Amino acid sequence: MSDYPFTEPVPPATQAESAPLATGLAQTLRTELRKVIFGQDTVIDQVIATFLAGGHVLLEGKPGLGKTHLVVALANTFGGLFSRIQFTPDLMPSDVTGFTLFDMKSQTFQVRRGPIFTNLLLADEINRSPAKTQAALLEVMQERQVTIDGETIKLDPPFMALATQNPIEQEGTYPLPEAQLDRFLMKVVMDYPSHSDEAQVVQDVTSGTGLSASSVAKLYSPEDIIKAQQDVANIRCVDEVVNYAVNIVRASRTAQGISLGAGTRGAISLVHIAKAYAYMSGRGFVVPDDIKQSALPVLRHRVQLAPELAISGQKVDDAILNIIAGVEAPRQ
């Protein structure tokens, strides 16, 4: 069973009619975010694709590249609820989910909902908190619900978690376990911008022009996002393309130098993101290139290198690219 909503198929005519909405929404979001985020076009597209696919993003990058800035800007384009949690070593699970409190006036226990009850959640520096606190996100990421003292509360759609982490610091951090990493639809890596883009950022910020995330326009309501996610899920993906995604995932389990390959959720995630890319391109169907475009950010946190390759300096991304090159794509 899929971890993501809106998987019921619709007739091709409905898919064709709804394509302009999702395409226009994605293009407008892209244009608005580029006003305040320079030199990160691929990252922006990956985050938007995950948003349209109804999944979650793990955003990794060195300090000062604008990870939090991007998430806040995305939240400002969206008319739903937004919450931010700064993960620290002393953060407790109840600080994330909420807790029950005895009300002396009514003589009953009342549920105090935590910041996780939102539409867009920023889990800033998620690897700063120990596993017990990180695990507070597992249920809501998987089931879109929260259990507090035995009471289960459903979240209103849409819901998306965007977690950031700094890859260069080891002291005082707690690596995410594989089970939680697998809940993220994508691991997006934000790298340094080009010289011209970086110079533009420095010029705008130091001249007082600024690149404030609050300057982006509020574009869409929660209902618009839900409709777009339904449209994306209803994109057609023929058996040959589905088999191509499955073949890539299965190849990751037997590839030389790989100690842990991707599971079935990896193949499901590949198809979900490929559908989002297809819709962002204005197509009502998935092509093999959509799968290829999705493979690196979808699989890089689901695949582990064998110790001997990791010590030699080889990167996970290189291993995944080799796997993709070795799997024959269906002819279009």
Side-chain angles (χ1 to χ4, degrees), residues 244 247 324-331:
Y244 178 50
N247 289 339
I324 297 170
V327 177
E328 184 178 359
R331 295 183 178 180

Side-chain angles (χ1 to χ4, degrees), residues 200-217:
Q200 184 66 51
V201 171
V202 173
Q203 177 65 29
D204 287 351
V205 173
T206 57
S207 66
T209 305
L211 293 171
S212 173
S214 61
S215 65
V216 300

Side-chain angles (χ1 to χ4, degrees), residues 275-298:
K275 287 185 176 185
Y277 277 134
Y279 236 22
M280 290 167 68
S281 300
R283 279 182 279 104
F285 54 91
V286 176
V287 298
D289 281 348
D290 296 324
I291 299 291
K292 290 182 181 179
Q293 187 178 5
S294 308
L296 199 57
V298 167

Side-chain angles (χ1 to χ4, degrees), residues 62-116:
K62 298 177 180 66
L65 294 183
K67 300 185 297 296
T68 302
H69 188 65
L70 170 60
V71 178
V72 174
L74 176 64
N76 287 334
T77 66
F78 169 58
L81 300 175
F82 172 65
S83 294
R84 175 177 177 175
I85 305 174
Q86 189 68 45
F87 278 69
T88 57
D90 60 345
L91 190 73
M92 300 295 292
S94 59
D95 296 328
V96 176
T97 61
F99 53 90
T100 56
L101 186 68
F102 187 74
D103 184 8
M104 296 294 293
K105 188 174 182 180
S106 64
Q107 293 293 297
T108 59
F109 284 96
Q110 302 291 331
V111 174
R112 298 294 178 91
R113 298 187 177 191
I116 207 169

